Amino acid sequence: MSRWGKQQDRLVVRAVDVLSGVLNGAVPEPARRVVASRALLAVEELVFPMHEELVLEENADAAAREATDEQWAHDAAVRGWVIETLAEHATSYNELHEVWEDDLEYVEPRGDHPVWALLELAPFARRLRLLQEAAAKTAVGLGGDVGVGAHQIGHWAAGRSRPGEREREALAEALGVHRAWLHASRDEQPDVQLYRFASCPCEKPTAMTRLGLGREEPDWYDSPAEQAAAVHWCGGCRQGWVKDAAGWLLPLPPGEEPKPSHRDLAGLGRPFSSSPSVTFDEPWPRALWQLPAGRKGRARTAYQVPELLTREPQTLPVRPTAARIVVPEPVWGAGSAERLAANALWCRTCRALADAPEGAAGGPWVLLHRSEPRRGLSTWTYPTEKDALHHGAHLAMTYLQLDDGPLDPVALDLFVGQAHPQVIARFLELHPETTQFEVAELVPMRASEF
């Protein structure tokens, strides 16, 4: 077996907790498959170190894509899915690299490798381990707070026994959480409340920026435009999220996390940087767990207990409460002020423009379009590419409102999220024969390129 220690234990426990919290009782759909693939990949990288990264990614992607409702029905089912997946991959790993039982890198399916025992841990044992780590408490220190020996803390953390009611209350007090989080009734229940949110739970949430997934991914979403803006990025805590079909934000596991590198470019919906910003080796998601002011992450550093954990856990509804989106009727033949006022009802950029000083007209960026049905091709100029894409997205939404039936929900979600290039791309997916935009691949262009 390859080198394994407490750091690897922590990563596996956290990855499994994420998988269970996100997948438990949920129907497999694009956002959850993305989370499943990335969290599973984090485990496979540790268990199969001789595999190339591409092989690991393909294996994790295939497992997430093929998962069924039954395999994600509850915590034990999710862990069973991970065990079954890793056991299957262990066999192919040993064969591919020609390693045998006496070799250091041999991974026996469901054998002596530490990962198998970690995957058997029920929610209570995982919860205790993760909270103990976040509080930077040793088994000796935590045992002293609770009034038991360090060996007893170890038994609880290994799932060999469970604490009594008095010990549970002492544990909650020592770890700084509401006692209900450690109540016996939750021993087999994953902490879904820590992995599903209606909005970013960080202390200073910002308007979300829409970005792509980072590395080249399989086609998780039916719409390429939707996948190109699948990540909801909070600039306040630098946490990436993906949104499920019900509207819950699910934390995007660490990886090649996209993040905007300059605030002026944040609205373009493009991944400007893909270096990992967090890992599973620290309390996660980072939106919840923050270090005390002036402290940097390192061994034995206690994190602030999230306010959520100081309250009694609440059962999540089927869907989060969502703000109603007012979609204005298309405004034809009106002046710019009237159009801006109407569009400000559903466009964050327009609301900002309504309160901003009027800038210079025109610019080096050209948008080729037809501003109204049956008009000739127009060329309007804008000071920045972002301005041109913003206007192009409005034109696309206006034309989509003329389609029969309800407004396309994918385009609406992209537009509300200010993913303007993807709004245009979605329009072109739905209307591949359109002449609304004469230039499909590159709607805006510099005047010198026209």
Side-chain angles (χ1 to χ4, degrees):
M1 154 193 339
S2 59
R3 183 177 179 182
W4 195 277
K6 292 183 178 180
Q7 181 180 10
Q8 287 75 20
D9 282 355
R10 286 197 301 269
L11 192 150
V12 170
V13 169
R14 182 163 290 114
V16 174
D17 206 59
V18 170
L19 284 166
S20 184
V22 169
L23 307 180
N24 183 76
V27 175
E29 46 91 31
R32 281 188 166 77
R33 293 191 192 277
V34 170
V35 173
S37 173
R38 291 203 175 193
L40 182 61
L41 175 61
V43 178
E44 298 226 5
E45 288 175 334
L46 295 176
V47 180
F48 308 121
M50 295 174 63
H51 264 339
E52 294 182 359
E53 187 69 18
L54 181 60
V55 174
L56 293 167
E57 291 173 356
E58 289 178 347
N59 286 345
D61 291 345
R65 185 181 294 279
E66 295 167 6
T68 64
D69 296 22
E70 292 77 14
Q71 290 173 314
W72 292 356
H74 47 79
D75 176 78
V78 172
R79 288 186 284 115
W81 169 70
V82 178
I83 292 172
E84 180 181 346
T85 299
L86 292 183
E88 179 182 338
H89 292 171
T91 300
S92 60
Y93 173 81
N94 295 329
E95 293 176 354
L96 176 64
H97 298 287
E98 298 183 341
V99 291
W100 312 103
E101 292 185 16
D102 294 334
D103 294 328
L104 181 64
E105 300 297 341
Y106 180 76
V107 180
E108 182 180 358
R110 306 173 193 256
D112 294 332
H113 195 289
V115 73
W116 307 117
L118 294 170
L119 292 174
E120 294 291 346
L121 294 176
F124 174 79
R126 297 198 307 266
R127 187 176 302 128
L128 176 58
R129 284 174 176 243
L130 296 174
L131 290 174
Q132 180 184 347
E133 176 202 344
K137 289 182 176 290
T138 64
V140 172
L142 183 58
D145 293 338
V146 177
V148 299
H151 68 284
Q152 186 61 67
I153 299 295
H155 286 319
W156 294 339
R160 291 189 287 268
S161 63
R162 300 274 174 84
E165 184 177 352
R166 185 196 69 79
E167 288 87 1
R168 288 175 186 272
E169 293 194 3
L171 278 171
E173 182 177 355
L175 296 171
V177 303
H178 192 283
R179 63 180 183 275
W181 287 95
L182 297 177
H183 193 272
S185 62
R186 293 182 54 81
D187 283 359
E188 303 297 330
Q189 298 178 16
D191 293 327
V192 296
Q193 296 89 344
L194 303 183
Y195 301 106
R196 306 178 192 183
F197 297 93
S199 60
C200 186
C202 72
E203 294 180 352
K204 298 179 180 179
T206 64
M208 296 284 189
T209 298
R210 300 292 290 271
L211 302 170
L213 288 169
R215 69 175 172 88
E216 185 175 347
E217 301 267 353
D219 296 332
W220 297 113
Y221 295 82
D222 293 335
S223 165
E226 185 176 15
Q227 177 151 324
V231 178
H232 300 244
W233 177 269
C234 175
C237 62
R238 295 180 295 160
Q239 174 72 55
W241 306 87
V242 287
K243 184 179 288 187
D244 71 6
W248 293 111
L249 289 175
L250 313 174
L252 181 66
E256 295 181 0
E257 287 188 318
K259 55 181 180 289
S261 59
H262 193 287
R263 63 182 300 177
D264 291 338
L265 299 177
L268 294 180
R270 299 175 182 175
F272 293 97
S273 174
S274 60
S275 59
S277 59
V278 295
T279 71
F280 273 149
D281 195 41
E282 57 190 68
W284 195 86
R286 79 179 313 161
L288 281 181
W289 296 95
Q290 298 293 320
L291 283 166
R295 302 291 295 276
K296 296 182 178 180
R298 58 182 180 274
R300 296 301 170 197
T301 297
Y303 282 70
Q304 297 177 9
V305 177
E307 196 269 338
L308 175 63
L309 283 168
T310 65
R311 306 192 309 262
E312 184 175 358
Q314 302 296 315
T315 302
L316 294 180
V318 176
R319 291 178 176 272
T321 302
R324 179 174 174 268
I325 300 172
V326 178
V327 180
E329 291 294 325
V331 179
W332 304 107
S336 58
E338 186 178 348
R339 288 199 303 272
L340 184 64
N343 290 329
L345 295 174
W346 68 335
C347 176
R348 181 165 87 229
T349 302
C350 283
R351 285 196 294 273
L353 289 174
D355 300 326
E358 186 172 346
W365 291 93
V366 174
L367 177 66
L368 306 182
H369 67 285
R370 303 179 195 279
S371 58
E372 293 186 16
R374 294 178 296 281
R375 274 199 174 185
L377 190 67
S378 300
T379 57
W380 289 1
T381 60
Y382 303 87
T384 68
E385 181 184 19
K386 183 177 179 179
D387 293 322
L389 290 170
H390 171 222
H391 191 185
H394 271 289
L395 288 169
M397 293 303 293
T398 297
Y399 269 74
L400 287 175
Q401 286 179 266
L402 300 179
D403 291 344
D404 294 334
L407 184 60
D408 178 62
V410 172
L412 179 59
D413 176 67
L414 292 171
F415 184 80
V416 172
Q418 303 293 275
H420 297 145
Q422 285 72 43
V423 172
I424 298 170
R426 177 60 175 170
F427 173 81
L428 295 170
E429 288 174 12
L430 297 173
H431 297 277
E433 305 301 323
T434 185
T435 59
Q436 165 67 1
F437 297 112
E438 198 72 11
V439 180
E441 290 295 323
L442 183 65
V443 174
M445 53 175 29
R446 290 188 183 276
S448 59
E449 300 168 341
F450 177 64

